[in-house]
Amino acid sequence: PEASDAPTEGVTDAMIAAADGNEWLTYGRDYGEQRFSPLTQISGDNVGQLGLAWFADLDTARGQEATPLMHDGVLYITTAWSKVMAFDAKTGTVKWTYDPEVPRSTLAVACCDAVNRGVALYGDKVYVATLDGDLVALNQSDGSVAWRKQVVPDKDNYTITGAPRVAHGKVFIGSGGAEYKARGFLAAYDWKTGEEAWRFHTVPGNPADGFENDAMKTAADTWKGNWWELGGGGTVWDSITYDPVNNQVLVGTGNAEPWNPGANGRLGSGEAAEGNLYTSSIVAVDADTGAYKWHFQETPEDRWDYDSNAQITLADLTIGGEQKHVVLHAPKNGYFYMFDAATGKFIDAKAWTDMNWSTGIDPATGRPAINPEARYEQTGKPWVNVPGAGGSHSWQAMSFSPATGLVYIPANFAGFPFVAKKDFKPSDIGFQTAIDSAATAMPADENVRAGAMAGTTGALVAWDPVAQKEAWRVPYKGPWNGGTLATAGGLVFQGTATEEFNAYSAADGKKLWSFPTQSGVIAAPMTYAIDGEQYVAVLAGWGGVWDIAPGILSSVSGPPRNISRLLVFKIGGTAKLPDAPKFPKRVLDPPPVTGTEAQIAHGADVYGRYCSVCHGDAAVAGALNPDLRYSATLNSPDAVKAIVIDGALHDNGMVSFKAALSADDAEAVRQYVIKRSNEDKALEKKGGGSS
Ligand SMILES: O=C(O)c1cc(C(=O)O)c2c(n1)C(=O)C(=O)c1cc(C(=O)O)[nH]c1-2
Ligand SMILES: [Ca+2]
């Protein structure tokens, strides 16, 4: 079918390109995704008088990751479970809501909470991608559905958490799933009809099916074994940046799959110049055709979950006396990169955080030298990789201020333990990372826990991309703080895991204002103006992967609790939040240990592979999913079997695991959790530990 012309009414390409400061039309505000607002009404002089203008309670108590968009007086957000809400941006009156009714059982195939990062606006439409893998076009006027298309090849391995982007009559979207069995892609849809225009895969499929293009043929030379059987990964789960100067779309790609390359031999000897293209890379494709233009692999031979999905920013900078249109990128792996946007030519990279997986960068090629000890599947030894799998920087967007020349990065400082799983067999459900999580479970040992917590911190880092050096930093108690917003008023706004929303001086990081948010903030703020009055909006709602995966470490920053809200501020705002509800202190009260040693060891293994990715390491969960150490069902083998095998809680997101587990396995898990619960109870009595 003929492609529709780009819209000429409503939100147009020209409007997004002009990026009027009063509105916020696309995820990163402008095409370059700089998240820099030209608005100046709120500044260092008056930010102390910033107050709540209005707020809205959200009905999804999970991680809130969206950046709101504002057009024509209407503020659009998504919430967890991919719901969309439209508000009068001045008063907070709800105009409409849309619920795509994502099955709650989708949680079992979502690596990192039921999150969504926001909508796209184009013409008279609002676009949302749903956790269960659909792209939905809504009418801006009333939230009615114009069309809904399934984007993902199957709903058992793929999910979508990212925000769509738009340009040249098309809507761009990818997916997550590289911890399952997913083959990464970026797809483009006709904005009006929802017809798929093109699809670019980021990793090659089965050679027997023929390669879709030359880029796949080239990439296939960098893969060994039957890589396609597990998908390969390289998912496009967050960053998608349209570059109007070169009419191209830049995507960041996810980790190679499975994490442990020894499990399927995807790297062969494991020392290829470029291992497993185009994973952990930035890839540029033509916006009209999806044809490959260039790539740069930031983490060759990835085996550490080093997604390159962090937001891709474009900027025009003077480098060595020359004006250049460049890509700025701070992926999970701890290097800060700069590339020529037109060609992908490497300009510079610098380690901006502690790291042990790489010993340096080749200044000519940009290729990182890899520490042989970090090849844990080859050494056969446990390896604590730094930065950890959460990344020194992840999807929490950074901002760039042309006024200060600085990039403001939400930084995580942590390690992640890797032990290669022996005799790994793929299964029909759950993570396929081939890591032995049982071997690295956090023991009930005060000193080990205190050490792990002390080594887990965060910061707001202001980085000078031209000088490639740090300008200043604000240290935080823990990681997983919110994305950032920079303004021409000389401010940087950021929410924190410690339940604050802060304003800093963009020049030197001095804290100028703070608001208690009652829940951790992980989303990025945005700003807009109506009738000459400037507003700043941010979503509060603790969650995402950090709450789910690292168990006890999710409590490093503060009380991990979720109170989900949209908060909107203006100078002199007087709205007040109700007092935060009290979260009762729970008491560990497990039955006595009756399992045999062998049964408990087996339970640990099953727990590590199938349960820990949602319920936390060593049965210590965060705020969102039940902490099984406290579960009343520990008293009942039948209840555990009903849930784990028969799927009694399927509609809450706890699906049946009978595709992989037997009733005996479920009982072994029960015995393992009983043991962990008793150990932690003993630790609590001693006055140590944390829960
Ligand atoms: O490889 C993938 O496909 C994939 C997808 C996602 C996602 O869709 O959210 C995350 C990750 N990986 C990931 O590694 C990660 O640390 C992560 C954090 C989050 C989050 O929203 O908090 N998502 C994801
Ligand atoms: Ca990943």
Side-chain angles (χ1 to χ4, degrees), residues 6-61:
T8 52
E9 286 172 45
V11 177
T12 63
D13 294 76
M15 284 165 64
I16 298 172
D20 179 348
N22 293 308
E23 302 210 319
W24 188 292
L25 295 176
T26 182
Y27 185 68
R29 203 189 85 81
D30 54 17
Y31 278 137
E33 309 238 341
Q34 293 186 352
R35 292 175 180 264
F36 173 76
S37 168
L39 296 179
T40 55
Q41 188 179 81
I42 303 171
S43 70
D45 294 336
N46 63 5
V47 71
Q49 295 149 40
L50 202 59
L52 198 59
W54 56 270
F55 67 92
D57 290 318
L58 309 180
D59 67 354
T60 53

Coordinates of all heavy atoms in Angstrom, one line a residue, residues 6-61:
A6 N 3.2 12.6 5.6 CA 3.3 13.0 7.0 C 2.2 14.0 7.3 O 1.7 14.7 6.4 CB 4.7 13.6 7.2
P7 N 1.8 14.1 8.6 CA 0.7 15.0 8.9 C 1.1 16.4 8.7 O 2.2 16.8 8.9 CB 0.5 14.7 10.4 CG 1.7 14.0 10.9 CD 2.3 13.3 9.7
T8 N 0.1 17.2 8.3 CA 0.3 18.6 8.1 C -0.5 19.4 9.1 O -0.4 20.6 9.2 CB -0.2 19.1 6.7 OG1 -1.6 18.6 6.5 CG2 0.7 18.5 5.6
E9 N -1.3 18.7 9.9 CA -2.1 19.4 11.0 C -1.8 18.6 12.3 O -1.3 17.5 12.3 CB -3.6 19.3 10.7 CG -4.0 20.3 9.6 CD -5.5 20.0 9.3 OE1 -6.3 19.9 10.2 OE2 -5.8 19.9 8.1
G10 N -2.1 19.3 13.4 CA -1.8 18.7 14.7 C -0.3 18.8 14.9 O 0.3 19.8 14.5
V11 N 0.3 17.7 15.4 CA 1.8 17.7 15.7 C 2.5 17.3 14.4 O 2.2 16.2 13.8 CB 2.1 16.8 16.8 CG1 3.7 16.7 17.0 CG2 1.5 17.2 18.1
T12 N 3.3 18.2 13.9 CA 4.0 17.9 12.6 C 5.5 17.8 12.8 O 6.1 18.2 13.9 CB 3.8 19.1 11.6 OG1 4.4 20.3 12.2 CG2 2.3 19.3 11.3
D13 N 6.2 17.3 11.8 CA 7.7 17.3 11.8 C 8.3 18.6 12.1 O 9.2 18.8 12.8 CB 8.2 16.7 10.5 CG 7.8 15.3 10.3 OD1 6.7 15.0 9.9 OD2 8.7 14.4 10.5
A14 N 7.7 19.6 11.4 CA 8.2 21.0 11.5 C 8.1 21.5 13.0 O 9.0 22.1 13.5 CB 7.5 22.0 10.6
M15 N 7.0 21.1 13.6 CA 6.9 21.5 15.0 C 7.9 20.8 16.0 O 8.4 21.4 16.9 CB 5.4 21.2 15.5 CG 4.4 22.2 15.0 SD 2.7 21.6 15.2 CE 2.6 21.6 17.0
I16 N 8.1 19.6 15.7 CA 9.0 18.8 16.5 C 10.4 19.4 16.3 O 11.2 19.6 17.3 CB 9.0 17.3 16.3 CG1 7.6 16.7 16.6 CG2 10.1 16.6 17.1 CD1 7.4 15.3 16.2
A17 N 10.7 19.7 15.0 CA 12.0 20.3 14.7 C 12.2 21.7 15.4 O 13.3 22.0 15.9 CB 12.2 20.4 13.2
A18 N 11.1 22.5 15.4 CA 11.2 23.8 16.0 C 11.4 23.8 17.5 O 12.0 24.6 18.1 CB 10.0 24.7 15.6
A19 N 10.7 22.7 18.1 CA 10.9 22.5 19.5 C 10.6 23.7 20.4 O 11.4 24.1 21.2 CB 12.2 21.9 19.8
D20 N 9.4 24.3 20.2 CA 9.0 25.5 21.0 C 9.1 25.1 22.5 O 8.6 24.1 22.9 CB 7.5 25.8 20.6 CG 6.9 26.9 21.3 OD1 7.5 27.3 22.4 OD2 5.8 27.4 21.0
G21 N 9.7 26.0 23.2 CA 9.9 25.7 24.7 C 8.6 25.6 25.5 O 8.6 25.0 26.5
N22 N 7.5 26.2 25.0 CA 6.2 26.1 25.7 C 5.7 24.7 25.7 O 4.9 24.3 26.7 CB 5.2 27.1 25.1 CG 5.6 28.5 25.3 OD1 6.0 28.9 26.4 ND2 5.7 29.3 24.2
E23 N 6.0 23.9 24.7 CA 5.4 22.6 24.6 C 6.6 21.6 24.8 O 7.7 21.9 24.9 CB 4.7 22.3 23.2 CG 3.6 23.3 23.0 CD 2.5 22.8 22.1 OE1 2.8 22.1 21.2 OE2 1.3 23.0 22.5
W24 N 6.2 20.3 24.9 CA 7.2 19.2 25.0 C 6.6 18.1 24.2 O 5.7 17.4 24.6 CB 7.4 18.8 26.5 CG 8.5 17.8 26.7 CD1 8.6 16.5 26.3 CD2 9.7 18.0 27.4 NE1 9.7 15.9 26.7 CE2 10.5 16.8 27.4 CE3 10.3 19.2 28.1 CZ2 11.7 16.7 28.0 CZ3 11.5 19.0 28.7 CH2 12.2 17.8 28.6
L25 N 7.0 18.0 22.9 CA 6.3 17.2 21.9 C 6.8 15.8 21.7 O 6.1 14.9 21.1 CB 6.4 17.9 20.6 CG 5.6 19.3 20.5 CD1 5.8 19.9 19.2 CD2 4.1 19.1 20.8
T26 N 8.0 15.5 22.1 CA 8.6 14.1 21.9 C 9.4 13.7 23.2 O 9.8 14.6 23.9 CB 9.4 14.0 20.6 OG1 9.8 12.7 20.5 CG2 10.6 15.0 20.6
Y27 N 9.6 12.4 23.3 CA 10.2 11.9 24.5 C 11.3 12.7 25.1 O 11.3 13.1 26.2 CB 10.6 10.4 24.2 CG 11.2 9.7 25.4 CD1 10.3 9.3 26.4 CD2 12.5 9.3 25.5 CE1 10.8 8.6 27.5 CE2 13.0 8.6 26.5 CZ 12.1 8.2 27.6 OH 12.6 7.5 28.6
G28 N 12.3 12.9 24.3 CA 13.5 13.7 24.7 C 13.4 15.2 24.4 O 14.4 15.9 24.4
R29 N 12.2 15.7 24.2 CA 11.8 17.1 23.9 C 12.1 17.5 22.5 O 11.2 17.9 21.8 CB 12.5 18.1 24.9 CG 11.6 19.4 24.9 CD 12.3 20.6 25.6 NE 13.2 21.3 24.7 CZ 12.8 22.2 23.9 NH1 11.6 22.6 23.8 NH2 13.7 22.8 23.1
D30 N 13.4 17.3 22.0 CA 13.7 17.7 20.6 C 14.2 16.5 19.9 O 14.5 15.4 20.5 CB 14.6 18.9 20.5 CG 15.9 18.6 21.3 OD1 16.2 17.4 21.7 OD2 16.6 19.5 21.6
Y31 N 14.4 16.6 18.6 CA 14.9 15.4 17.9 C 16.3 14.9 18.5 O 16.5 13.7 18.5 CB 15.1 15.8 16.4 CG 13.9 15.7 15.5 CD1 13.6 16.7 14.6 CD2 13.0 14.6 15.6 CE1 12.5 16.6 13.8 CE2 11.9 14.6 14.8 CZ 11.7 15.6 13.9 OH 10.6 15.5 13.1
G32 N 17.1 15.9 18.9 CA 18.4 15.5 19.5 C 18.3 14.9 20.8 O 19.3 14.4 21.4
E33 N 17.1 14.8 21.4 CA 16.8 14.2 22.7 C 17.8 14.9 23.8 O 18.3 14.2 24.7 CB 17.0 12.7 22.7 CG 16.2 12.1 21.5 CD 15.1 11.1 22.0 OE1 15.2 10.5 23.1 OE2 14.2 10.8 21.2
Q34 N 17.9 16.2 23.8 CA 18.8 16.8 24.7 C 18.1 17.1 26.1 O 18.8 17.4 27.0 CB 19.3 18.2 24.1 CG 20.2 18.0 22.9 CD 20.8 19.3 22.4 OE1 20.4 20.4 22.9 NE2 21.7 19.2 21.5
R35 N 16.8 17.1 26.1 CA 16.1 17.4 27.3 C 16.6 18.7 28.0 O 16.7 18.8 29.2 CB 16.3 16.2 28.3 CG 15.5 15.0 27.8 CD 15.8 13.8 28.7 NE 15.0 12.6 28.1 CZ 13.8 12.3 28.5 NH1 13.2 12.9 29.5 NH2 13.2 11.3 27.9
F36 N 16.8 19.6 27.1 CA 17.2 21.0 27.5 C 16.0 21.9 27.1 O 15.7 22.0 26.0 CB 18.4 21.5 26.8 CG 18.8 22.9 27.1 CD1 19.3 23.3 28.3 CD2 18.5 23.9 26.2 CE1 19.6 24.6 28.6 CE2 18.8 25.2 26.4 CZ 19.4 25.6 27.7
S37 N 15.4 22.6 28.1 CA 14.3 23.5 27.9 C 14.8 24.9 27.8 O 15.5 25.4 28.7 CB 13.2 23.4 28.9 OG 12.3 24.4 28.8
P38 N 14.4 25.7 26.8 CA 14.8 27.1 26.7 C 14.0 28.0 27.7 O 14.3 29.2 27.8 CB 14.4 27.5 25.3 CG 13.4 26.6 24.8 CD 13.6 25.3 25.6
L39 N 13.1 27.4 28.4 CA 12.3 28.3 29.4 C 13.2 28.8 30.5 O 14.0 28.0 31.0 CB 11.1 27.4 30.0 CG 10.0 27.0 29.0 CD1 9.0 26.2 29.7 CD2 9.4 28.2 28.2
T40 N 12.9 30.0 30.9 CA 13.8 30.7 31.9 C 13.0 31.2 33.1 O 13.7 31.8 34.0 CB 14.6 31.9 31.3 OG1 13.6 32.7 30.7 CG2 15.5 31.4 30.2
Q41 N 11.7 31.1 33.1 CA 10.9 31.7 34.2 C 11.4 31.2 35.6 O 11.5 31.9 36.5 CB 9.4 31.5 34.0 CG 8.6 32.3 35.0 CD 7.1 32.0 34.7 OE1 6.6 31.0 35.1 NE2 6.5 33.0 34.0
I42 N 11.5 29.8 35.6 CA 12.0 29.2 36.9 C 13.5 29.2 36.8 O 14.1 28.7 35.8 CB 11.4 27.8 37.0 CG1 9.9 27.8 37.0 CG2 12.0 27.2 38.3 CD1 9.3 26.5 37.0
S43 N 14.2 29.9 37.7 CA 15.6 30.0 37.6 C 16.2 29.9 39.1 O 15.5 29.7 40.0 CB 16.0 31.4 37.1 OG 15.7 32.4 38.1
G44 N 17.5 30.0 39.1 CA 18.2 29.9 40.4 C 17.7 31.0 41.4 O 17.7 30.8 42.6
D45 N 17.2 32.1 40.9 CA 16.7 33.2 41.7 C 15.4 32.9 42.5 O 15.2 33.3 43.6 CB 16.5 34.5 40.9 CG 17.8 35.0 40.4 OD1 18.9 34.7 40.9 OD2 17.8 35.7 39.3
N46 N 14.5 32.1 41.8 CA 13.2 31.9 42.4 C 12.8 30.4 42.7 O 11.7 30.1 43.1 CB 12.1 32.6 41.6 CG 12.0 32.0 40.2 OD1 12.7 31.0 39.9 ND2 11.2 32.6 39.3
V47 N 13.7 29.5 42.3 CA 13.3 28.1 42.4 C 13.0 27.7 43.8 O 12.2 26.8 44.1 CB 14.5 27.2 41.8 CG1 15.7 27.1 42.7 CG2 13.9 25.8 41.6
G48 N 13.5 28.4 44.8 CA 13.1 28.2 46.2 C 11.6 28.4 46.5 O 11.1 27.8 47.4
Q49 N 10.9 29.1 45.6 CA 9.5 29.3 45.8 C 8.6 28.3 45.0 O 7.4 28.4 44.8 CB 9.1 30.7 45.3 CG 9.7 31.8 46.2 CD 9.9 33.1 45.4 OE1 9.1 33.4 44.5 NE2 11.1 33.7 45.6
L50 N 9.3 27.3 44.4 CA 8.6 26.3 43.6 C 7.7 25.5 44.5 O 8.1 25.0 45.6 CB 9.6 25.4 42.9 CG 9.1 24.6 41.7 CD1 8.7 25.6 40.6 CD2 10.3 23.8 41.1
G51 N 6.4 25.3 44.1 CA 5.5 24.5 45.0 C 4.6 23.7 44.1 O 4.6 23.8 42.9
L52 N 3.9 22.8 44.7 CA 3.1 21.8 44.0 C 1.9 22.6 43.4 O 1.1 23.2 44.1 CB 2.6 20.7 44.9 CG 2.1 19.4 44.3 CD1 3.1 18.8 43.4 CD2 1.7 18.5 45.5
A53 N 1.7 22.6 42.1 CA 0.5 23.2 41.4 C -0.7 22.3 41.5 O -1.8 22.6 41.8 CB 0.9 23.6 40.0
W54 N -0.4 21.0 41.1 CA -1.5 20.0 41.2 C -0.8 18.6 41.1 O 0.4 18.5 40.8 CB -2.5 20.1 40.1 CG -2.1 20.1 38.7 CD1 -1.7 21.2 37.9 CD2 -2.0 19.0 37.8 NE1 -1.4 20.8 36.7 CE2 -1.5 19.5 36.5 CE3 -2.2 17.6 37.9 CZ2 -1.3 18.6 35.4 CZ3 -2.0 16.8 36.8 CH2 -1.5 17.3 35.6
F55 N -1.5 17.6 41.5 CA -1.0 16.2 41.4 C -2.1 15.3 41.1 O -3.3 15.6 41.2 CB -0.3 15.8 42.7 CG -1.2 15.6 43.9 CD1 -1.7 14.4 44.2 CD2 -1.5 16.7 44.7 CE1 -2.6 14.2 45.3 CE2 -2.4 16.6 45.8 CZ -2.9 15.3 46.1
A56 N -1.8 14.1 40.6 CA -2.8 13.1 40.3 C -2.3 11.7 40.8 O -1.1 11.3 40.6 CB -3.0 13.0 38.8
D57 N -3.1 11.0 41.6 CA -2.8 9.7 42.0 C -3.0 8.7 40.8 O -3.9 8.8 40.1 CB -3.7 9.2 43.2 CG -3.4 10.0 44.4 OD1 -2.2 10.1 44.7 OD2 -4.3 10.4 45.1
L58 N -2.0 7.8 40.7 CA -2.1 6.8 39.6 C -2.6 5.5 40.2 O -2.4 5.2 41.4 CB -0.7 6.6 39.0 CG -0.1 7.9 38.5 CD1 1.3 7.6 37.9 CD2 -0.9 8.7 37.6
D59 N -3.3 4.7 39.3 CA -3.9 3.5 39.9 C -3.1 2.2 39.6 O -3.6 1.1 39.6 CB -5.3 3.3 39.3 CG -5.3 3.0 37.8 OD1 -4.3 3.1 37.2 OD2 -6.4 2.8 37.3
T60 N -1.8 2.4 39.3 CA -0.9 1.3 39.0 C 0.3 1.4 40.0 O 1.2 2.3 39.7 CB -0.4 1.3 37.6 OG1 0.2 2.5 37.3 CG2 -1.5 1.0 36.6
A61 N 0.4 0.6 41.0 CA 1.5 0.8 42.0 C 2.7 -0.1 41.6 O 3.0 -1.1 42.2 CB 1.0 0.3 43.4

